[in-house]
Amino acid sequence: MSSEQTSAPETAGDTAAPGPRPRRLTWAAALAAVEGAGLVIAAVWILVLGLTGTPDDRQQAVTGGITLAVLALLPLLAARGLFLMRRWSRGPAVITQILALPVAYNLLKADSMAIPAGIVLAAVAVASLVLLVNPATAQALGIKGPGRAG
């Protein structure tokens, strides 16, 4: 029997790809972590204002804060997975960036202090997408293209 036949099966996507982590993967993980941290900060801000301030609807403010806190898990888990070079992490990271683009667009359309936040969010989302779809990132994560089994 070969060593491949005698080794225990690996769970798909849980193993790190061999080799050092490329810098672009580290940057993608950092950007995803920044987005997740931003969502956590926004969640805490909304919760505090909802509980201590005078919102129009306290229940809506608390629900919004909790929702943002839960949504923060996606980029934070993706960031951890990217940093650890887990194959599964690129999908959630890409989804996070795709979802961030319409949010950035809406912030840019606002006539308020939200415009700078929209610019930053758009820049982070586009930069992250460029880093995540780079062939070197896919190779570092052990992701093969369609039709390239083995």
Side-chain angles (χ1 to χ4, degrees):
M1 281 190 168
S2 71
S3 62
E4 291 178 23
Q5 293 172 336
T6 58
S7 65
E10 300 174 2
T11 54
D14 286 344
T15 60
R21 182 178 50 253
R23 196 174 322 173
R24 65 180 42 92
L25 195 54
T26 304
W27 278 106
L31 290 174
V34 166
E35 287 176 327
L39 284 170
V40 169
I41 291 168
V44 170
W45 179 265
I46 289 173
L47 280 171
V48 168
L49 287 179
L51 295 174
T52 62
T54 55
D56 294 337
D57 186 359
R58 184 171 306 240
Q59 182 179 3
Q60 185 177 8
V62 171
T63 302
I66 292 171
T67 301
L68 281 181
V70 171
L71 286 174
L73 291 175
L74 184 64
L76 291 173
L77 289 173
R80 183 177 186 276
L82 289 170
F83 189 76
L84 297 174
M85 294 177 58
R86 301 294 193 245
R87 185 177 309 167
W88 59 264
S89 62
R90 190 170 85 155
V94 169
I95 289 169
T96 299
Q97 306 319 316
I98 291 171
L99 291 175
L101 290 173
V103 174
Y105 178 74
N106 283 329
L107 289 173
L108 289 170
K109 285 182 18 180
D111 189 26
S112 67
M113 295 291 294
I115 293 173
I119 293 169
V120 170
L121 181 58
V124 168
V126 169
S128 295
L129 280 171
V130 168
L131 292 168
L132 290 167
V133 300
N134 189 292
T137 301
Q139 182 180 10
L141 292 173
I143 298 171
K144 296 178 177 35
R148 296 183 184 148

